[in-house]
Amino acid sequence: MSSRLKRFTDWLKEEDIDFAFVTDPTNVFYYTGFMCHPHERVLALVAFPEAEPFLFCPSLEVRQAKASGWPYDVIGYNDDENPWEKIRRALADRGIGQNVTVAIETDTLPYGRSEAIKRFAESVRFVSAEGAINAQRLIKDEAELASLKKAAELADYAVQIGKNAIKKGKTEQAIVAEIEYELKKRGVEGMAFTTMVLVGQNSALPHGVPGDRQIREGDFVLFDLGVIADGYCSDITRTFVYKHASDEQIAIYETVLKAEEAAIRAATAGTVIADVDRTARRIITDAGYGEYFTHRVGHGLGLGAHEAPSMSGDNLDVIKTGMVFTIEPGIYVPEIGGVRIEDDIYVGEAGPVCLTSFPKQLEIIP
Ligand code: MN
Ligand code: MN
């Protein structure tokens, strides 16, 4: 059994849990090595404190599940079969059917599925597996770090393509298309989330949607994108100015850069997470833009584009060696536009290490 899964089943043992029902595709991948996006069909890792675990998935995925190297049972179901009845029988075969305690992903398991799980036994008590799973996923091992580095390098490359594509009259969507076309040609698995290219006042929307806005002189051009490598996500933001920058645009940019660099330096093992957010926020507030920094300073990164830890001002957890997260302060002034600078940070023994490395001095694109 992999050491990851062993640690999880040890936790089931310690907590006296009869079985865990894990359905989040990234969690299933983390423990099994099998990546599957089942849409509305049922995908589950069912793990026990002592007995061998099994994977449950649509029949059309069984061959790939077996080929992924998962050494235990794979149970498939056809579209005309009731998956829940099939799982119930598999559990009954393992002697489960009376009073059971089941670990579930309380943050993501749909209510309807929790009702279906309740019918697996006469009486079912739920406990949350979130804490145990997140604590494991929070600290990245060597292999995960290598994949995250690969994803970060691809993100740097993607920003370079985007930067090269900046031209008068070009639309946000046209640049998105160029970035993704070049990445596909390089064989990337996919984007970690919808690629954002936002120009002019659109850049003031932290979660804006690229459209047909064309680049004009004096616009901010903001790229926020991520690439997947071996299942792991990167997430980078860079902001450029086209042709010429006003004094206020320069002031905003330099403030964000100063805040970002200070927050990265502060992100050492042993530091309280809230203090990293505060470090960036103080610099932005002192420059007079406090009200325009409208989100937390970052978020954890891994198999998920957003995962633990939340790098927010109310998180009193302490940074640990092996964590990976973004640092991404921003200033968004509706009439002028927005600047965000985002890097992916690995907390090493010797301090924070930037996985993304695209230059971040203000660049005015001629
Ligand atoms: Mn981002
Ligand atoms: Mn981010």
Side-chain angles (χ1 to χ4, degrees):
M1 181 175 289
S2 73
S3 57
R4 282 181 196 171
L5 188 52
K6 169 80 168 60
R7 220 179 113 188
F8 187 57
T9 59
D10 283 349
W11 173 75
L12 298 177
K13 222 175 288 175
E14 279 159 31
E15 298 295 319
D16 224 5
I17 292 164
D18 293 283
F19 66 94
F21 198 83
V22 177
T23 63
D24 177 290
T26 59
N27 285 337
V28 172
F29 175 74
Y30 184 76
Y31 289 118
T32 68
F34 174 52
M35 182 58 96
C36 172
H37 296 286
H39 304 288
E40 80 287 8
R41 294 184 175 108
V42 182
L43 165 75
L45 161 66
V46 185
F48 305 90
E50 301 285 354
E52 282 192 354
F54 67 86
L55 246 175
F56 187 84
C57 65
S59 310
L60 70 166
E61 308 279 2
V62 168
R63 223 167 46 172
Q64 271 158 298
K66 287 183 174 160
S68 72
W70 171 251
Y72 306 107
D73 268 2
V74 179
I75 303 175
Y77 77 99
N78 297 323
D79 285 338
D80 58 1
E81 286 181 298
N82 180 338
W84 303 102
E85 180 49 29
K86 220 164 170 179
I87 298 167
R88 194 193 60 74
R89 282 204 305 270
L91 289 169
D93 289 346
R94 288 159 177 81
I96 286 173
Q98 295 296 313
N99 301 329
V100 294
T101 302
V102 185
I104 55 168
E105 295 145 308
T106 43
D107 289 355
T108 56
L109 187 76
Y111 179 75
R113 290 189 172 190
S114 72
E115 289 292 295
I117 292 169
K118 274 188 194 159
R119 291 192 286 272
F120 287 162
E122 268 169 32
S123 128
V124 171
R125 186 177 75 94
F126 287 132
V127 297
S128 176
E130 298 288 350
I133 294 173
N134 283 343
Q136 271 191 270
R137 280 182 52 174
L138 200 55
I139 306 301
K140 271 66 180 179
D141 62 29
E142 289 292 319
E144 292 183 289
L145 179 60
S147 299
L148 284 158
K149 271 188 189 154
K150 211 196 281 183
E153 279 162 21
L154 287 165
D156 287 335
Y157 174 69
V159 173
Q160 182 63 51
I161 294 162
K163 183 188 150 188
N164 292 347
I166 295 175
K167 241 174 94 182
K168 189 173 187 163
K170 207 165 272 174
T171 67
E172 296 165 329
Q173 283 282 30
I175 297 180
V176 169
E178 283 185 45
I179 292 170
E180 296 191 352
Y181 177 67
E182 290 302 323
L183 287 171
K184 284 270 189 245
K185 281 202 290 189
R186 257 179 93 146
V188 302
E189 292 169 51
M191 305 309 289
F193 49 89
T194 306
T195 302
M196 264 192 269
V197 178
L198 300 169
V199 312
Q201 293 181 354
N202 288 351
S203 61
L205 305 166
H207 279 170
V209 180
D212 57 7
R213 170 71 157 81
Q214 295 179 328
I215 295 178
R216 298 196 285 256
E217 289 189 15
D219 275 345
F220 277 132
V221 182
L222 182 151
F223 298 92
D224 186 349
L225 55 88
V227 183
I228 303 173
D230 314 325
Y232 285 80
C233 300
S234 54
D235 187 0
I236 189 172
T237 306
R238 287 293 184 271
T239 311
F240 302 90
V241 190
Y242 181 60
K243 288 285 187 198
H244 53 79
S246 68
D247 289 347
E248 175 138 41
Q249 282 177 310
I250 293 169
I252 291 171
Y253 192 95
E254 296 304 334
T255 302
V256 174
L257 181 57
K258 201 172 141 197
E260 203 240 4
E261 289 179 330
I264 291 172
R265 280 195 303 273
T268 53
T271 302
V272 173
I273 286 173
D275 286 340
V276 178
D277 184 274
R278 257 180 243 136
T279 298
R281 209 164 295 279
R282 195 176 304 125
I283 289 167
I284 289 174
T285 304
D286 287 350
Y289 293 106
E291 64 179 300
Y292 300 111
F293 177 19
T294 47
H295 54 74
R296 62 184 172 180
V297 80
H299 53 83
L301 198 64
L303 290 169
H306 279 205
E307 60 180 50
S310 174
M311 302 297 290
S312 63
D314 66 348
N315 189 344
L316 299 180
D317 291 344
V318 166
I319 294 175
K320 290 189 192 126
T321 304
M323 283 184 175
V324 173
F325 46 76
T326 69
I327 295 288
E328 51 176 308
I331 295 175
Y332 313 95
V333 184
E335 313 80 60
I336 299 171
V339 172
R340 181 168 59 257
I341 302 172
E342 173 177 29
D343 283 298
D344 301 343
I345 310 300
Y346 166 75
V347 182
E349 298 281 354
V353 180
C354 269
L355 304 180
T356 38
S357 62
F358 197 92
K360 46 194 176 183
Q361 294 306 317
L362 175 62
E363 269 196 85
I364 299 170
I365 307 294

